[in-house]
Amino acid sequence: MNTPQTDNKTQWLYLFIGLAVLLNFTGLFIPILAPDGTLYAVIAKTMAQRNDFVNIIVHNADWLDKPHFPFWVAALSFKIFGISTWAYKLPGILFMLMGGYYTYLLAKLLYNKEVALWSVLILLTSQHIILSNNDVRAEPYLTGLIIAAVYHFYLAYLRGNYWQLMWGAIFTACAIMTKGMFALVPIGGAIVGHLAITRQWKQLVHWRWLLAAVLIGIFILPEIYCLYEQFDAHPEKVVFGRTHVSGIQFFFWDSQFGRFFNTGPIKGKGDPSFFIHTTLWAFLPWSLILFAAIWHFVKTGIKNVQQREWLCISGSLLTFLLFSASKFQLPHYLNIVFPFFAIITAQYFIGLQNERTIKTIRAVQTGLVLVLLLAIAALQYYFKPDEFEWDDAVTLVVWLALLAILPTKFAATDYRQTAFRTLIAAFVVNLYLNLAFYPSLLKYQAGSEAAVWINEHNTQKLPLVQSWEDANYPMEFYIEQPLTIVNEDGSGKLPATPFMFYGPATVVASLQSKGYHIEKQANFERYWVSRLKPKFINHATRAELLIPMEVVIVK
């Protein structure tokens, strides 16, 4: 029930939710991060340019790894807005914000408006959510789709509404067509876990779930059709070094369960503790409260099972445990359960009554905030970002002032003092990262920088050649002309001279040694920016890790 007291407690929250939405848009124009983000952008660009939404093509070859849905959406965005950084990132951010909306709806249905609003704020200020809205891959899509599916399926269970069941099936199908069959784990885990723990056996075996399975099967037919057309209908194609590869089998088994059991063509190495320490930093600045919230929920919930909701704990922890047991682990996998984590954290934080617990959490979070601010100060001191302008400094000063003033408006025993202090610290950290750090960091992604330069300066429209490198997708996405890729050492089929070449200075020297005449045009410095090392972060030692890259005309 919402009361006047509750409404008074939520009066600041709408403003901060609006600001959190804007915060998640601050990475919209930062160049796309290699390798995965630019790879996905290249796939969508190829789809849009060829008007081919069936085949996934990379380097003019068939590519079998991820399903089609996020590529379809990004390619459609390119068709509407043109090919650009923001046109690629925009759909992912919008799907993530849809996830914030459904987090609100589910939290309000399960608890109240105050919990719902704080759930949205916790979600939208979690570190890896903001990072993923900058480095857009499949996760922003998946996060929004999964929580939407859980909400509609839960309403279908509560109200027996088959329109809700259909919407749940649609969102589930889109999630499957984004990441594969493992998308069923958090969705099914939430619904099945809640019904099983509360012993609603008749509801668990209700025929509506069979209907939902049939609908999901129907709605994923576009993916099945595309995979059949590209792979199963062409057994002669060489994929993963062999022929007779079934795209449908890969979709239903190898891409997910094959990775889980490490029997598929793409293998990994697992660490059972990986997602524990990943959550510690990825869910900052709320992760410590989350751990306390999960412990408290389980400890108190088992004493009163029938009166609690088990959707969030079931959907998140089952997925967490399965991912931890998997041999294929990446930090961004966890994003899909962050809406559940946000609701668990919010309901615990708001429900705190014990004054000693409140003081303990306040002390811990205050210490965490200080650590985060010191980390940003150290990053500024050592990294020395080029893009840190006066308006960025003013923005951060305003937020630091707000950090010093707003929490003091609440009593020491009011959870809002700690909550707002934590919330504002998240704004300070991520505004610095998206306004200063990442724009400066991406200057060292030489492929995208060189592509922009070539687009402006290749007025003769000379053919363009690039030597292969692990992270060459930035050039492919940002360049506005055909691109020929040769071997890392510069060998391969070169076009007739004159042509423009982009690659390491060592490869340029090898071309010159073969008798080509070289006219140097521009110099860049490259570093694999998604793999940061302390030596690179330190401005004084950074040059030791940089690879000189050149744009030259070869005659």
Side-chain angles (χ1 to χ4, degrees):
M1 295 290 292
N2 293 317
T3 64
Q5 183 180 4
T6 300
D7 291 336
N8 181 58
K9 285 191 173 185
T10 61
Q11 60 184 354
W12 280 92
L13 302 187
Y14 296 101
L15 171 63
F16 275 95
I17 287 175
L19 293 171
V21 169
L22 294 177
L23 175 65
N24 280 273
F25 274 103
T26 53
L28 186 63
F29 299 101
I30 299 172
I32 302 167
L33 188 66
D36 287 354
T38 45
L39 168 60
Y40 298 165
V42 165
I43 291 172
K45 176 184 177 180
T46 303
M47 275 188 175
Q49 289 179 332
R50 296 188 179 192
N51 286 312
D52 180 0
F53 287 75
V54 173
N55 297 288
I56 297 181
I57 303 296
V58 177
H59 295 152
N60 293 314
D62 296 284
W63 188 80
L64 180 61
D65 188 7
K66 300 291 188 296
H68 286 66
F69 184 79
F71 306 130
W72 286 335
V73 177
L76 182 61
S77 178
F78 288 155
K79 298 290 283 186
I80 296 172
F81 301 113
I83 295 170
S84 66
T85 297
W86 71 267
Y88 170 73
K89 292 185 179 184
L90 179 63
I93 297 174
L94 293 178
F95 268 83
M96 182 59 247
L97 295 179
M98 181 186 79
Y101 174 68
Y102 274 104
T103 299
Y104 171 84
L105 292 179
L106 182 61
K108 188 177 180 183
L109 183 65
L110 297 174
Y111 297 98
N112 57 47
K113 185 170 73 172
E114 186 178 9
V115 171
L117 292 172
W118 273 107
S119 297
V120 176
L121 274 172
I122 291 171
L123 176 67
L124 295 184
T125 55
S126 298
Q127 190 59 46
H128 215 288
I129 291 296
I130 300 171
L131 175 60
S132 293
N133 284 337
N134 177 14
D135 180 19
V136 174
R137 307 184 199 182
E139 280 60 42
Y141 295 92
L142 202 58
T143 305
L145 292 167
I146 285 175
I147 193 65
V150 170
Y151 173 76
H152 285 292
F153 278 143
Y154 188 61
L155 276 187
Y157 146 72
L158 286 179
R159 302 173 184 174
N161 187 313
Y162 289 94
W163 284 107
Q164 297 293 343
L165 193 75
M166 185 190 73
W167 279 111
I170 289 173
F171 283 118
T172 301
C174 291
I176 292 172
M177 292 189 293
T178 297
K179 198 67 173 179
M181 300 305 293
F182 255 28
L184 291 172
V185 173
I187 299 170
I191 301 298
V192 173
H194 174 77
L195 296 178
I197 292 172
T198 55
R199 299 182 181 182
Q200 299 183 62
W201 309 119
K202 289 184 178 180
Q203 290 293 337
L204 190 60
V205 296
H206 197 282
W207 67 273
R208 75 165 65 91
W209 307 123
L210 177 60
L211 175 59
V214 171
L215 290 173
I216 292 168
I218 293 172
F219 294 142
I220 66 171
L221 285 177
E223 180 68 32
I224 305 303
Y225 169 78
C226 291
L227 291 169
Y228 176 81
E229 283 293 309
Q230 185 171 5
F231 297 103
D232 295 70
H234 298 280
E236 75 282 0
K237 289 184 175 181
V238 178
V239 184
F240 303 126
R242 56 190 175 89
T243 57
H244 293 83
V245 172
S246 169
I248 295 174
Q249 177 184 322
F250 183 85
F251 173 68
F252 280 109
W253 183 261
D254 291 335
S255 68
Q256 301 292 300
F257 298 99
R259 288 183 178 184
F260 180 79
F261 295 111
N262 222 31
T263 59
I266 302 175
K267 292 179 168 55
K269 298 179 180 179
D271 171 11
S273 66
F274 177 82
F275 286 110
I276 296 175
H277 52 75
T278 295
T279 303
L280 188 61
W281 70 262
F283 203 64
L284 282 173
W286 309 99
S287 50
L288 298 177
I289 304 176
L290 168 67
F291 292 152
I294 292 174
W295 169 254
H296 181 267
F297 188 99
V298 173
K299 184 178 70 172
T300 59
I302 57 177
K303 298 177 183 178
N304 195 14
V305 172
Q306 298 298 327
Q307 302 302 314
R308 303 295 295 267
E309 63 85 11
W310 294 90
L311 284 170
C312 299
I313 206 79
S314 299
S316 58
L317 290 192
L318 177 61
T319 306
F320 189 94
L321 291 172
L322 282 176
F323 282 167
S324 296
S326 170
K327 296 295 183 182
F328 204 90
Q329 300 170 334
L330 291 171
H332 53 265
Y333 284 5
L334 269 187
N335 284 33
I336 63 176
V337 298
F338 276 16
F340 299 130
F341 282 172
I343 296 173
I344 293 169
T345 304
Q347 62 82 28
Y348 167 73
F349 208 6
I350 292 169
L352 282 175
Q353 301 292 331
N354 187 293
E355 186 174 328
R356 182 179 177 183
T357 303
I358 293 173
K359 288 182 178 179
T360 300
I361 291 177
R362 185 183 69 208
V364 170
Q365 288 301 108
T366 300
L368 177 61
V369 167
L370 290 174
V371 169
L372 291 175
L373 295 180
L374 288 173
I376 291 299
L379 188 58
Q380 171 65 21
Y381 177 80
Y382 285 105
F383 187 75
K384 297 187 181 346
D386 299 328
E387 298 293 320
F388 192 58
E389 305 292 343
W390 68 268
D391 52 334
D392 302 324
V394 170
T395 301
L396 290 177
V397 167
V398 170
W399 278 96
L400 286 169
L402 196 61
L403 176 62
I405 296 171
L406 183 59
T408 62
K409 301 295 182 182
F410 305 102
T413 54
D414 189 331
Y415 81 90
R416 288 177 294 174
Q417 183 185 104
T418 301
F420 277 110
R421 181 176 291 120
T422 305
L423 179 69
I424 296 170
F427 274 89
V428 172
V429 169
N430 286 286
L431 282 171
Y432 176 82
L433 292 177
N434 280 359
L435 296 180
F437 178 69
Y438 283 117
S440 301
L441 177 67
L442 268 294
K443 297 293 183 184
Y444 296 97
Q445 185 169 281
S448 49
E449 294 293 300
V452 172
W453 188 93
I454 293 168
N455 290 337
E456 295 177 358
H457 293 86
N458 188 15
T459 55
Q460 302 176 56
K461 300 301 179 185
L462 296 175
L464 178 62
V465 179
Q466 177 187 6
S467 62
W468 169 260
E469 57 185 78
D470 289 332
N472 71 318
Y473 301 114
M475 172 64 75
E476 289 188 63
F477 177 73
Y478 285 100
I479 201 66
E480 296 173 356
Q481 67 179 84
L483 176 67
T484 298
I485 299 174
V486 296
N487 298 324
E488 288 180 273
D489 60 0
S491 63
K493 188 176 181 180
L494 297 172
T497 57
F499 62 85
M500 187 169 279
F501 178 83
Y502 163 74
T506 53
V507 179
V508 173
S510 73
L511 290 174
Q512 195 166 19
S513 69
K514 294 175 183 178
Y516 288 102
H517 176 68
I518 302 297
E519 293 183 4
K520 296 188 178 183
Q521 303 294 304
N523 298 310
F524 300 90
E525 293 176 315
R526 179 170 70 83
Y527 180 78
W528 194 316
V529 295
S530 61
R531 298 181 178 180
L532 298 179
K533 295 181 179 180
K535 201 170 185 179
F536 172 80
I537 293 293
N538 189 346
H539 182 269
T541 57
R542 184 177 307 152
E544 300 174 29
L545 300 180
L546 300 179
I547 298 174
M549 306 292 286
E550 295 181 352
V551 175
V552 300
I553 294 177
V554 181
K555 295 183 178 180

